Amino acid sequence: MLAVDYFSKDLIHTLLKIAPKFVFNLCEEINGKCELEMCVAGLLELLGIPYTGSDPFALGLALNKFHVKQILRSAGVPTARGFVCYPGQKAAVPRGMRFPMMVKPSRQDASLGINSNSVCFTVEQLQKQILYIHKAYEQEALVEEFLDGREFNVSVIGDKNPEVLAISEINFAGLPEDEPKIVSYRAKWDEESPMYQFTIPICPADLPKRLETRIKNIAIRSSQCIGCRDYARVDMRADSRGSIYVLEVNPNPDISPKAGFARAARSAGYSYSDIILRISETAMERGAQVAAAVYAF
Ligand SMILES: Nc1ncnc2c1ncn2[C@@H]1O[C@H](COP(=O)(O)OP(=O)(O)O)[C@@H](O)[C@H]1O
Ligand SMILES: [Mg+2]
Protein backbone atom coordinates (compact mmCIF):
# COMPACT_ATOMS: atom_id res chain seq x y z
CA MET A 1 0.00 0.00 0.00
CA LEU A 2 1.28 3.44 -0.93
CA ALA A 3 -0.24 6.32 1.07
CA VAL A 4 -0.10 9.59 -0.81
CA ASP A 5 -0.98 12.76 1.09
CA TYR A 6 1.11 15.19 -0.91
CA PHE A 7 2.45 15.08 -4.42
CA SER A 8 6.21 15.00 -4.91
CA LYS A 9 8.53 13.87 -7.69
CA ASP A 10 9.34 10.90 -5.45
CA LEU A 11 5.87 9.55 -6.15
CA ILE A 12 6.70 9.27 -9.85
CA HIS A 13 10.06 7.63 -9.07
CA THR A 14 8.45 5.19 -6.62
CA LEU A 15 5.75 4.19 -9.12
CA LEU A 16 8.33 3.68 -11.86
CA LYS A 17 10.51 1.63 -9.51
CA ILE A 18 7.69 -0.62 -8.29
CA ALA A 19 6.29 -0.86 -11.84
CA PRO A 20 3.00 -2.38 -10.61
CA LYS A 21 0.86 -4.54 -12.90
CA PHE A 22 -2.04 -2.33 -11.83
CA VAL A 23 -2.91 0.11 -9.06
CA PHE A 24 -6.01 -0.17 -6.88
CA ASN A 25 -6.62 3.56 -6.79
CA LEU A 26 -8.30 4.63 -3.54
CA CYS A 27 -7.17 8.25 -3.70
CA GLU A 28 -9.94 10.70 -2.78
CA GLU A 29 -7.78 13.80 -2.37
CA ILE A 30 -4.18 14.93 -2.63
CA ASN A 31 -2.50 18.05 -1.22
CA GLY A 32 -5.66 18.36 0.94
CA LYS A 33 -7.83 19.02 -2.14
CA CYS A 34 -10.52 16.64 -3.37
CA GLU A 35 -10.56 18.45 -6.73
CA LEU A 36 -7.06 17.10 -7.36
CA GLU A 37 -8.11 13.42 -7.11
CA MET A 38 -8.41 13.34 -10.90
CA CYS A 39 -4.71 14.27 -11.21
CA VAL A 40 -3.66 11.03 -9.50
CA ALA A 41 -5.65 9.03 -12.06
CA GLY A 42 -4.09 11.28 -14.72
CA LEU A 43 -0.60 10.51 -13.46
CA LEU A 44 -1.25 6.76 -13.66
CA GLU A 45 -2.66 7.31 -17.14
CA LEU A 46 0.50 9.16 -18.23
CA LEU A 47 2.76 6.51 -16.72
CA GLY A 48 0.81 3.80 -18.57
CA ILE A 49 -0.08 1.98 -15.34
CA PRO A 50 -3.54 0.36 -15.36
CA TYR A 51 -5.67 1.39 -12.39
CA THR A 52 -9.08 0.72 -10.89
CA GLY A 53 -11.90 3.20 -10.96
CA SER A 54 -12.91 6.09 -13.15
CA ASP A 55 -10.65 8.05 -15.45
CA PRO A 56 -9.62 11.67 -14.76
CA PHE A 57 -12.38 13.13 -16.91
CA ALA A 58 -15.23 11.39 -15.08
CA LEU A 59 -13.67 12.17 -11.69
CA GLY A 60 -13.35 15.85 -12.61
CA LEU A 61 -16.77 16.16 -14.20
CA ALA A 62 -18.61 14.62 -11.25
CA LEU A 63 -17.17 17.25 -8.92
CA ASN A 64 -19.50 19.80 -10.46
CA LYS A 65 -23.07 18.86 -9.57
CA PHE A 66 -24.57 21.54 -11.82
CA HIS A 67 -22.66 20.32 -14.90
CA VAL A 68 -23.67 16.75 -14.09
CA LYS A 69 -27.32 17.80 -13.90
CA GLN A 70 -27.11 19.49 -17.29
CA ILE A 71 -25.59 16.41 -18.91
CA LEU A 72 -28.08 14.05 -17.29
CA ARG A 73 -31.03 16.22 -18.30
CA SER A 74 -29.87 16.40 -21.89
CA ALA A 75 -29.68 12.60 -21.88
CA GLY A 76 -33.24 12.36 -20.56
CA VAL A 77 -32.30 11.39 -16.99
CA PRO A 78 -34.51 13.26 -14.51
CA THR A 79 -32.91 15.63 -11.99
CA ALA A 80 -34.62 18.26 -9.83
CA ARG A 81 -35.28 21.69 -11.35
CA GLY A 82 -32.50 24.01 -10.29
CA PHE A 83 -30.16 26.91 -10.98
CA VAL A 84 -26.77 28.14 -9.80
CA CYS A 85 -25.99 31.41 -8.11
CA TYR A 86 -22.38 32.61 -8.32
CA PRO A 87 -20.66 34.69 -5.62
CA GLY A 88 -21.59 38.35 -6.05
CA GLN A 89 -24.96 37.48 -7.60
CA LYS A 90 -28.39 37.47 -5.97
CA ALA A 91 -30.72 34.57 -6.53
CA ALA A 92 -32.94 35.00 -9.58
CA VAL A 93 -35.44 32.20 -9.10
CA PRO A 94 -36.56 30.92 -12.53
CA ARG A 95 -40.29 31.16 -13.21
CA GLY A 96 -42.14 28.03 -12.28
CA MET A 97 -39.67 26.87 -9.63
CA ARG A 98 -41.42 26.20 -6.37
CA PHE A 99 -40.55 26.42 -2.67
CA PRO A 100 -39.28 24.73 -0.60
CA MET A 101 -35.85 24.80 -2.19
CA MET A 102 -32.60 23.06 -1.28
CA VAL A 103 -29.35 25.05 -1.25
CA LYS A 104 -25.98 23.29 -1.48
CA PRO A 105 -22.47 23.98 -2.69
CA SER A 106 -22.17 23.00 -6.35
CA ARG A 107 -18.66 21.55 -5.95
CA GLN A 108 -18.40 19.75 -2.61
CA ASP A 109 -19.20 16.30 -1.37
CA ALA A 110 -19.66 14.50 1.98
CA SER A 111 -22.62 16.81 2.76
CA LEU A 112 -20.31 19.77 3.37
CA GLY A 113 -22.41 22.93 3.56
CA ILE A 114 -25.64 20.98 4.15
CA ASN A 115 -27.37 21.76 7.43
CA SER A 116 -30.79 22.35 8.99
CA ASN A 117 -31.09 25.68 7.12
CA SER A 118 -30.44 24.17 3.69
CA VAL A 119 -34.14 23.69 3.03
CA CYS A 120 -35.58 27.16 2.42
CA PHE A 121 -39.22 28.22 2.42
CA THR A 122 -38.91 31.95 1.59
CA VAL A 123 -36.80 34.19 -0.68
CA GLU A 124 -35.16 35.69 2.43
CA GLN A 125 -34.07 32.28 3.74
CA LEU A 126 -32.83 31.40 0.26
CA GLN A 127 -30.69 34.55 -0.10
CA LYS A 128 -29.23 34.00 3.37
CA GLN A 129 -28.31 30.38 2.71
CA ILE A 130 -26.83 31.18 -0.70
CA LEU A 131 -24.67 33.87 0.91
CA TYR A 132 -23.53 31.33 3.51
CA ILE A 133 -22.36 28.97 0.71
CA HIS A 134 -20.59 31.82 -1.10
CA LYS A 135 -18.75 32.89 2.06
CA ALA A 136 -17.97 29.52 3.63
CA TYR A 137 -17.12 27.58 0.45
CA GLU A 138 -16.06 30.38 -1.95
CA GLN A 139 -18.07 28.87 -4.77
CA GLU A 140 -21.42 28.98 -6.51
CA ALA A 141 -24.52 27.69 -4.72
CA LEU A 142 -26.73 25.13 -6.40
CA VAL A 143 -30.41 25.67 -5.68
CA GLU A 144 -32.86 22.85 -6.40
CA GLU A 145 -36.51 22.17 -5.78
CA PHE A 146 -36.75 20.20 -2.57
CA LEU A 147 -37.65 16.58 -3.30
CA ASP A 148 -39.95 15.58 -0.49
CA GLY A 149 -39.84 11.79 -0.90
CA ARG A 150 -37.78 8.65 -0.29
CA GLU A 151 -33.97 8.75 -0.69
CA PHE A 152 -31.90 5.99 -2.31
CA ASN A 153 -28.20 5.22 -2.72
CA VAL A 154 -27.61 3.02 -5.71
CA SER A 155 -24.28 1.23 -6.16
CA VAL A 156 -23.08 0.17 -9.60
CA ILE A 157 -20.23 -2.24 -10.30
CA GLY A 158 -18.52 -3.11 -13.60
CA ASP A 159 -17.15 -1.43 -16.68
CA LYS A 160 -18.57 -2.54 -20.04
CA ASN A 161 -21.47 -4.47 -18.46
CA PRO A 162 -22.36 -2.58 -15.30
CA GLU A 163 -24.52 -4.26 -12.66
CA VAL A 164 -26.58 -2.55 -9.98
CA LEU A 165 -26.11 -3.97 -6.47
CA ALA A 166 -28.85 -3.94 -3.82
CA ILE A 167 -30.60 -0.58 -3.51
CA SER A 168 -30.23 1.17 -0.16
CA GLU A 169 -32.78 3.58 1.33
CA ILE A 170 -32.30 6.16 4.08
CA ASN A 171 -34.87 5.77 6.83
CA PHE A 172 -35.62 9.23 8.27
CA ALA A 173 -38.29 8.05 10.74
CA GLY A 174 -37.45 9.29 14.22
CA LEU A 175 -35.83 12.56 13.12
CA PRO A 176 -37.10 15.45 15.26
CA GLU A 177 -40.18 17.07 13.63
CA ASP A 178 -38.40 20.39 13.08
CA GLU A 179 -35.44 18.78 11.31
CA PRO A 180 -35.58 18.50 7.51
CA LYS A 181 -35.43 14.94 6.18
CA ILE A 182 -32.03 15.26 4.54
CA VAL A 183 -28.59 13.69 4.98
CA SER A 184 -26.88 16.77 6.38
CA TYR A 185 -23.23 17.07 7.42
CA ARG A 186 -24.12 16.12 11.00
CA ALA A 187 -26.20 13.16 9.75
CA LYS A 188 -23.09 11.80 8.01
CA TRP A 189 -20.42 12.59 10.57
CA ASP A 190 -21.66 13.61 14.04
CA GLU A 191 -22.36 10.23 15.66
CA GLU A 192 -23.80 11.83 18.81
CA SER A 193 -26.43 13.86 16.97
CA PRO A 194 -30.08 12.82 16.38
CA MET A 195 -29.42 13.54 12.68
CA TYR A 196 -26.87 10.71 12.61
CA GLN A 197 -28.96 8.35 14.72
CA PHE A 198 -32.14 8.80 12.67
CA THR A 199 -30.80 8.63 9.14
CA ILE A 200 -30.42 4.90 8.96
CA PRO A 201 -29.57 3.04 5.75
CA ILE A 202 -31.87 0.11 5.01
CA CYS A 203 -30.42 -2.32 2.49
CA PRO A 204 -32.06 -3.83 0.52
CA ALA A 205 -34.84 -1.24 0.32
CA ASP A 206 -38.39 -2.51 0.23
CA LEU A 207 -39.48 -1.63 -3.31
CA PRO A 208 -42.16 -2.73 -5.73
CA LYS A 209 -40.56 -4.47 -8.74
CA ARG A 210 -41.40 -1.67 -11.21
CA LEU A 211 -39.82 1.03 -9.06
CA GLU A 212 -36.76 -1.14 -8.45
CA THR A 213 -36.31 -1.61 -12.20
CA ARG A 214 -36.72 2.11 -12.85
CA ILE A 215 -34.16 3.04 -10.18
CA LYS A 216 -31.70 0.49 -11.56
CA ASN A 217 -32.12 1.80 -15.12
CA ILE A 218 -31.60 5.39 -13.99
CA ALA A 219 -28.46 4.37 -12.05
CA ILE A 220 -26.88 2.67 -15.07
CA ARG A 221 -27.79 5.47 -17.47
CA SER A 222 -26.43 8.13 -15.08
CA SER A 223 -23.14 6.40 -14.39
CA GLN A 224 -22.63 5.72 -18.11
CA CYS A 225 -23.44 9.35 -19.02
CA ILE A 226 -20.76 10.63 -16.67
CA GLY A 227 -18.31 7.97 -17.85
CA CYS A 228 -17.98 6.11 -14.54
CA ARG A 229 -15.97 2.91 -14.59
CA ASP A 230 -15.63 -0.14 -12.30
CA TYR A 231 -17.72 1.24 -9.44
CA ALA A 232 -19.93 4.22 -8.69
CA ARG A 233 -22.80 5.29 -6.48
CA VAL A 234 -25.76 7.31 -7.68
CA ASP A 235 -27.80 9.25 -5.08
CA MET A 236 -31.49 9.71 -5.89
CA ARG A 237 -34.65 11.02 -4.30
CA ALA A 238 -38.33 10.83 -5.05
CA ASP A 239 -40.66 13.82 -5.05
CA SER A 240 -43.93 13.80 -3.11
CA ARG A 241 -45.61 11.96 -6.00
CA GLY A 242 -42.98 9.23 -6.10
CA SER A 243 -41.13 10.26 -9.30
CA ILE A 244 -37.39 9.57 -9.10
CA TYR A 245 -34.67 12.20 -9.66
CA VAL A 246 -30.87 11.94 -9.55
CA LEU A 247 -29.17 14.13 -6.94
CA GLU A 248 -25.57 13.34 -7.85
CA VAL A 249 -23.24 10.74 -9.34
CA ASN A 250 -20.23 9.62 -7.29
CA PRO A 251 -17.53 7.98 -9.44
CA ASN A 252 -15.31 7.50 -6.40
CA PRO A 253 -17.55 6.46 -3.47
CA ASP A 254 -16.22 4.95 -0.27
CA ILE A 255 -15.77 1.23 -0.93
CA SER A 256 -14.31 0.32 2.46
CA PRO A 257 -15.84 -2.76 4.16
CA LYS A 258 -18.18 -0.76 6.43
CA ALA A 259 -19.40 1.72 3.81
CA GLY A 260 -22.62 1.62 1.82
CA PHE A 261 -21.11 0.15 -1.35
CA ALA A 262 -19.87 -2.97 0.45
CA ARG A 263 -23.23 -3.28 2.26
CA ALA A 264 -25.04 -3.13 -1.09
CA ALA A 265 -22.70 -5.81 -2.46
CA ARG A 266 -23.31 -8.10 0.54
CA SER A 267 -27.09 -7.67 0.20
CA ALA A 268 -26.75 -8.62 -3.47
CA GLY A 269 -24.99 -11.83 -2.45
CA TYR A 270 -21.33 -10.89 -3.00
CA SER A 271 -18.58 -11.13 -0.40
CA TYR A 272 -16.17 -8.24 0.05
CA SER A 273 -13.39 -10.18 -1.67
CA ASP A 274 -15.75 -10.94 -4.59
CA ILE A 275 -16.15 -7.26 -5.37
CA ILE A 276 -12.51 -6.30 -4.79
CA LEU A 277 -11.43 -9.14 -7.07
CA ARG A 278 -13.96 -8.18 -9.71
CA ILE A 279 -12.86 -4.53 -9.70
CA SER A 280 -9.18 -5.57 -9.88
CA GLU A 281 -9.76 -8.02 -12.73
CA THR A 282 -11.61 -5.42 -14.77
CA ALA A 283 -8.70 -2.98 -14.39
CA MET A 284 -6.16 -5.66 -15.30
CA GLU A 285 -8.17 -6.67 -18.38
CA ARG A 286 -8.18 -3.03 -19.47
CA GLY A 287 -4.42 -2.95 -18.92
CA ALA A 288 -3.94 -6.06 -21.01
CA GLN A 289 -5.99 -4.56 -23.83
CA VAL A 290 -3.88 -1.39 -23.79
CA ALA A 291 -0.69 -3.49 -23.88
CA ALA A 292 -2.06 -5.65 -26.71
CA ALA A 293 -2.88 -2.54 -28.74
CA VAL A 294 0.58 -1.06 -28.16
CA TYR A 295 2.50 -4.26 -28.97
CA ALA A 296 0.42 -4.97 -32.10
CA PHE A 297 2.38 -2.22 -33.88
N1 LIG B 1 -32.99 18.61 -4.26
C1 LIG B 1 -32.94 17.98 -3.09
N2 LIG B 1 -34.09 17.65 -2.45
C2 LIG B 1 -34.07 17.02 -1.25
N3 LIG B 1 -32.94 16.70 -0.60
C3 LIG B 1 -31.77 16.98 -1.19
C4 LIG B 1 -31.70 17.62 -2.46
N4 LIG B 1 -30.38 17.77 -2.78
C5 LIG B 1 -29.67 17.25 -1.75
N5 LIG B 1 -30.49 16.78 -0.80
C6 LIG B 1 -30.10 16.16 0.50
O1 LIG B 1 -28.77 16.52 0.79
C7 LIG B 1 -27.92 15.36 0.84
C8 LIG B 1 -26.56 15.64 0.21
O2 LIG B 1 -26.74 16.08 -1.11
P1 LIG B 1 -25.91 15.49 -2.32
O3 LIG B 1 -26.36 16.22 -3.54
O4 LIG B 1 -26.03 14.00 -2.36
O5 LIG B 1 -24.43 15.97 -1.99
P2 LIG B 1 -23.16 15.29 -1.25
O6 LIG B 1 -22.14 15.24 -2.33
O7 LIG B 1 -22.77 16.23 -0.18
O8 LIG B 1 -23.58 13.92 -0.78
C9 LIG B 1 -28.69 14.28 0.10
O9 LIG B 1 -28.30 13.00 0.57
C10 LIG B 1 -30.14 14.64 0.43
O10 LIG B 1 -30.54 14.15 1.70
MG1 LIG C 1 -24.65 12.45 -1.84
Side-chain angles (χ1 to χ4, degrees):
M1 180 152 80
L2 183 63
V4 184
D5 286 333
Y6 287 90
F7 175 75
S8 76
K9 287 179 195 152
D10 292 345
L11 175 61
I12 301 179
H13 293 145
T14 311
L15 282 168
L16 289 174
K17 205 166 118 202
I18 306 172
K21 275 213 173 67
F22 82 104
V23 164
F24 204 109
N25 183 18
L26 292 172
C27 183
E28 286 187 30
E29 63 169 53
I30 188 162
N31 295 359
K33 292 184 176 167
C34 61
E35 61 269 31
L36 292 182
E37 70 178 344
M38 66 177 132
C39 299
V40 174
L43 177 65
L44 295 167
E45 202 74 63
L46 286 174
L47 293 175
I49 301 172
Y51 58 96
T52 58
S54 291
D55 71 9
F57 183 71
L59 292 171
L61 176 58
L63 284 176
N64 189 315
K65 292 190 168 81
F66 185 58
H67 290 172
V68 167
K69 278 169 78 71
Q70 287 173 312
I71 291 173
L72 293 180
R73 285 198 141 208
S74 65
V77 176
T79 82
R81 296 186 67 160
F83 66 97
V84 270
C85 185
Y86 292 90
Q89 291 179 345
K90 277 203 156 185
V93 179
R95 273 175 65 172
M97 233 182 110
R98 293 205 205 111
F99 282 100
M101 291 182 203
M102 176 82 196
V103 181
K104 54 189 178 181
S106 187
R107 291 177 282 115
Q108 285 291 343
D109 64 352
S111 288
L112 283 157
I114 300 185
N115 56 38
S116 308
N117 298 325
S118 301
V119 183
C120 302
F121 296 84
T122 64
V123 176
E124 291 69 37
Q125 287 176 355
L126 191 67
Q127 302 286 16
K128 205 171 152 201
Q129 196 63 9
I130 289 173
L131 206 62
Y132 158 70
I133 299 292
H134 290 169
K135 285 204 171 133
Y137 294 94
E138 298 178 326
Q139 63 180 262
E140 66 278 14
L142 173 58
V143 182
E144 288 180 342
E145 277 187 353
F146 180 69
L147 301 165
D148 201 6
R150 298 169 75 178
E151 175 158 342
F152 304 103
N153 301 126
V154 194
S155 300
V156 181
I157 189 165
D159 182 1
K160 297 274 181 305
N161 298 305
E163 175 190 344
V164 179
L165 301 171
I167 298 168
S168 178
E169 176 173 11
I170 310 286
N171 179 3
F172 293 104
L175 257 188
E177 276 295 307
D178 53 349
E179 273 303 320
K181 293 184 173 46
I182 56 173
V183 186
S184 61
Y185 183 82
R186 293 185 70 194
K188 263 183 203 159
W189 307 110
D190 179 1
E191 294 185 14
E192 305 298 315
S193 71
M195 292 80 160
Y196 183 96
Q197 283 152 15
F198 297 112
T199 48
I200 301 158
I202 311 284
C203 188
D206 184 13
L207 294 166
K209 195 72 203 152
R210 259 185 72 193
L211 183 57
E212 183 185 334
T213 308
R214 171 138 182 86
I215 291 176
K216 287 189 168 178
N217 283 338
I218 291 179
I220 299 235
R221 278 162 64 203
S222 317
S223 65
Q224 281 177 331
C225 261
I226 304 308
C228 299
R229 207 167 66 174
D230 298 351
Y231 58 93
R233 201 194 68 232
V234 184
D235 294 343
M236 303 181 197
R237 251 178 107 116
D239 65 7
S240 51
R241 287 185 303 193
S243 300
I244 300 289
Y245 298 84
V246 172
L247 294 181
E248 60 152 350
V249 178
N250 298 291
N252 194 6
D254 186 350
I255 57 164
S256 58
K258 284 192 181 152
F261 190 91
R263 197 180 315 119
R266 276 193 299 275
S267 296
Y270 298 111
S271 72
Y272 193 61
S273 31
D274 284 339
I275 57 163
I276 297 302
L277 208 64
R278 181 152 159 200
I279 294 170
S280 309
E281 278 170 0
T282 315
M284 281 196 284
E285 265 166 37
R286 250 194 327 264
Q289 281 161 18
V290 172
V294 171
Y295 292 121
F297 286 99

